[in-house]
Every structure is written in C-alpha cells, then in structure tokens.
Amino acid sequence: MEYVLLAVLASILPSFAVARPSSYAVWAADSAIARGQGNGLDSTGKASVSYEHGELQWGLKQLYDTTGNQSYFNYILAGANNIVFDNGTVHGGYTLTDYSLDPVRTGPTFLYLYQMTGQSKWKTAADTFRKQLETHPRTAQGQYWHKLRYYNQGWLDGIYMGDIFYAQYTKDFQSSNTTAWADITSQFNLMFQNSIQATGDANNIGLLYHGYDYSHTAAWASADRGHSPEVWDRALGWYAMALVDALDIIPNSQPGHATLLNILQTIAPKIRDAADPSSGVWWLVMTRAGHSGNYFESSGSAMFVYALLKGVRLGYIPDTDGSIVKAARKAYEYMTSHWVVSNGDGSMGWTNTVEVGSLSGNGTYEYYISVPTDLNDLKGLAAFLLASIEYEKL
C-alpha cells in the first residue's frame, strides 16, 4: 500500500513543481516575477517609483525581445501601470521638487511602452521626467546634481539613472536636437573628468571614484577635484552599464558617440585588470583589494560582466586577444557557482549584494564595508539577469 501511495504522489507532485529553466536569464527573471519583485509596488503593496524596478524592466524588455515570451512584456506593463495613472500622472512617491535622478530610471520603461502600445499616457509620463531635467539643479560646469539634497554633487549612479532616459527620449522625439545630445555627452564626460583617478593617487587602479563635490564642501571631498576617497564597485558598474547602453542609443553621427566610446575603451581594460585573479570577480571597494573586511560583491560584478560582454559584442570594446571576454566568462562562472542558490521550489536566490552605498556620510572604506548584504536584492538580481542575457548571446 505504501509503495502505491508513493507512486501516486510521485505522479502528482511534478505537476505542481516549477522546473528550473536551462537559461539563467530566464531563471532570474521568472524568480523575480514569482516573488513579485519590480512590479511598481513596495513591500507593503503601495505604489513606488523605483530605479531598481526600472533596472529589472530593462532586463525583461531584452528577455522579451530574445524569447518572445509575452509574460515578460505583460509584467513590465503591469508594473508601470502601478505607478502611472490613466491620465499619465506619475505617482508612487514621485515628487518633482525632490530633484532626484533615481526615479528617472523608470523613464525608459515609459518610452518603451509608448513605442509598443501608442498609448498617450506613457508619453505624458515620460514628459514629466524630461521636464524635470530642464530645471534639475546643476554644478557650474553643467553636471546634474545627484539629488537636490546633495549640494553640487555628481555621482556615478546618477548617470545610469538619468542619462539613458535622456538619450532615449532625445532619440525618440528630438533626434535633431544637437544641444540635447551635447548635454548628454557632457554628463558622461564631466563625471569621467572629475572622478577618474590621477596618476599620483593612493591605491590607483585607473578607475573612477564614486562621485565628486564640485563645491568641495562635503566631508569626503578631496582637495584637488573634490572627489570621494574610494572606488566602489556598484557605482562604477552603473556607469559602465550606462556607457554601453547609451552607445546603443546615441547616433554614430553625433560627436558624443566617439566621446563615450573613448571613455569606455579607456576603462574597460582597467575593469578587467581590477578583477581578483583567483575568483575572477570584483571587490566591493575596488581600491582596497584584499583588505580586512572587504569582500567579493555580486551586483557590481554582474554589472561589469554585462558591460564588458555587451561592449565587445557590439564592437565598442576591442578584444583582439580575447582577454576581456575570458575575464567576463570567468567572473560569470564564479557568480553562477557561488551567488546563485536554488530555493528548492524551482526558483533561484541571489546572494552577496550590498544593500546600499551612499555619499551622504564620510565615504570612508569603513563605511562601505559596514553596510550589510541582502538576499535577492533587486539591484543585484536585475544585474545578473542582464549579465546572463549577454553571456547567453556569446
């Protein structure tokens, strides 16, 4: 009787189980969706305009393009509908007067949905963010402040948050607006010039500090250019992803395309060289490799894999000896073997993503390593989705 019962159970249980997909990209996306992540709602079910959701939706868009699975498009649409009323008003905590670049990361979703559906609400929502950029505070050089409360500060994070939208909006509606194209280029270039490490800097690895304060009033601002003291992996990851994504949008005919290409080709080999030789992935604080308390961080590592592989695939990054793709492969294989965990229900979990990194305090090494890591943090999981899409295109 027991054997009969076991046989019956064995025949029933598989129909309720969710099979693990062969694609890590699909597995990451399906797992996020199963948990209700990135759906325009916060943990309490309230509407929330979140850059993390915009990052996931960017990946779901690419996965939809690759697989044709309608459920990914439907999830993007449902999530955006949660933060935009039928008349195009953006709600979910968005306030223009905060002048934060973070919410603008959902803007590419609005532009995509307008392209796909033709519904005017999405154009109206996108116009809201474009109007914010018109009055957003800037440094005397023209760099957008990261947020109103961060006086005169440019952060690498903000380039990903604001300028992919800025570029896509310009391409879609103002393609001949050379002033806008030049401004987008300037955002990238000012960030690069003000935060790139100088030859004589301590712990110089040739990469970009987390941010800078043009007014030199922040506690962490250096005496020379006002930059912060450390190279934080996720901030550089945001910037690297922004470069390859923007190059995909800015027309070759615009001078800015060559400018961004030069920046990417300058930092890509340095990112490759900064990887830990043994594991192949990157340290949380890249300027302090191997120091006590430092660790391999998953979101920045995934972002680098995405940026490097996409950059090589599209011909933006020369890789004549194959070393960049080799480095990205090694890092990706470490990620799947160390940071992807099976939950036993068909879904996957993602580990080792640091919760936050801010320049609101003193920007010290001790600060960065004091921030806890989180399980299934969407900033890291979405980056892994993007990295997996590129890896699977190899």
Side-chain angles (χ1 to χ4, degrees):
M1 182 65 181
E2 288 181 2
Y3 294 111
V4 173
L5 180 58
L6 287 171
V8 171
L9 287 172
S11 67
I12 294 173
L13 288 175
S15 66
F16 291 95
V18 178
R20 169 181 167 175
S22 59
S23 160
Y24 276 103
V26 170
W27 200 17
D30 290 354
S31 299
I33 291 171
R35 287 189 289 267
Q37 293 183 277
N39 64 354
L41 304 175
D42 65 16
S43 59
T44 68
K46 293 182 180 178
S48 176
V49 179
S50 165
Y51 68 84
E52 299 177 31
H53 297 193
E55 182 194 5
L56 177 68
Q57 290 159 358
W58 188 259
L60 293 178
K61 169 190 174 296
Q62 295 184 40
L63 197 57
Y64 174 55
D65 291 343
T66 301
T67 66
N69 186 334
Q70 186 70 28
S71 67
Y72 299 132
F73 177 81
N74 293 344
Y75 197 77
I76 295 170
L77 181 62
N81 272 321
N82 281 331
I83 60 171
V84 179
F85 290 132
D86 289 343
N87 66 358
T89 300
V90 182
H91 58 106
Y94 172 73
T95 305
L96 169 66
T97 52
D98 285 344
Y99 282 113
S100 171
L101 291 175
D102 286 347
V104 181
R105 180 58 234 185
T106 60
T109 297
F110 303 158
L111 294 171
Y112 172 64
L113 291 175
Y114 181 68
Q115 176 191 23
M116 296 294 286
T117 69
Q119 288 184 297
S120 61
K121 65 178 285 187
W122 303 118
K123 173 64 164 55
T124 302
D127 287 344
T128 299
F129 289 155
R130 183 62 183 86
K131 289 172 184 175
Q132 174 185 325
L133 296 181
E134 290 176 5
T135 55
H136 198 97
R138 299 172 181 250
T139 68
Q141 291 180 309
Q143 182 90 67
Y144 287 133
W145 298 6
H146 188 62
K147 296 182 182 180
L148 180 63
R149 71 173 185 265
Y150 298 138
Y151 179 76
N152 263 302
Q153 294 179 23
W155 297 11
L156 293 176
D157 319 38
I159 298 295
Y160 185 79
M161 304 309 164
D163 289 294
I164 301 304
F165 167 76
Y166 194 178
Q168 190 66 56
Y169 188 99
T170 303
K171 181 180 181 180
D172 291 351
F173 306 115
Q174 302 173 353
S175 60
S176 61
N177 187 342
T178 55
T179 301
W181 287 125
D183 190 27
I184 293 162
T185 304
S186 179
Q187 297 304 312
F188 280 89
N189 197 39
L190 285 170
M191 185 61 66
F192 178 77
Q193 297 297 336
N194 283 288
S195 63
I196 185 70
Q197 289 186 288
T199 304
D201 288 356
N203 304 314
N204 179 30
I205 54 175
L207 289 169
L208 282 68
Y209 294 109
H210 187 169
Y212 72 97
D213 174 11
Y214 187 72
S215 67
H216 289 57
T217 57
W220 43 259
S222 67
D224 55 353
R225 287 167 293 146
H227 63 71
S228 60
E230 304 291 354
V231 176
W232 178 50
D233 72 323
R234 188 159 70 225
L236 184 62
W238 291 127
Y239 187 77
M241 291 202 301
L243 281 169
V244 295
D245 289 345
L247 282 165
D248 218 11
I249 299 169
I250 300 173
N252 291 1
S253 58
Q254 292 296 326
H257 193 275
T259 301
L260 268 60
L261 195 62
N262 182 63
I263 294 173
L264 179 63
Q265 292 176 358
T266 299
I267 68 172
K270 300 294 186 181
I271 291 172
R272 174 200 61 200
D273 295 344
D276 173 67
S278 177
S279 67
V281 293
W282 288 267
W283 295 91
L284 172 78
V285 182
M286 298 171 69
T287 28
R288 305 292 184 116
H291 282 222
S292 176
N294 209 356
Y295 59 89
F296 302 143
E297 200 278 327
S298 65
S299 65
S301 293
M303 291 173 181
F304 293 146
V305 170
Y306 170 74
L308 293 176
L309 289 182
K310 182 174 181 178
V312 171
R313 177 174 63 83
L314 296 178
Y316 302 146
I317 301 173
D319 191 29
T320 53
D321 63 357
S323 63
I324 289 180
V325 169
K326 182 180 179 181
R329 279 185 179 273
K330 182 175 181 179
Y332 186 81
E333 289 162 7
Y334 182 95
M335 291 193 293
T336 55
S337 62
H338 288 76
W339 294 330
V340 173
V341 294
S342 175
N343 292 326
D345 61 357
S347 70
M348 61 156 276
W350 177 255
T351 67
N352 257 55
T353 292
V354 68
E355 287 183 354
V356 72
S358 174
L359 291 175
S360 59
N362 57 17
T364 62
Y365 172 72
E366 289 72 23
Y367 159 71
Y368 286 110
I369 64 172
S370 73
V371 180
T373 60
D374 199 10
L375 176 66
N376 297 325
D377 190 297
L378 197 55
K379 296 180 288 295
L381 181 61
F384 177 66
L385 164 60
L386 289 164
S388 297
I389 290 169
E390 286 300 325
Y391 185 86
E392 291 165 11
K393 286 181 178 179
L394 282 174

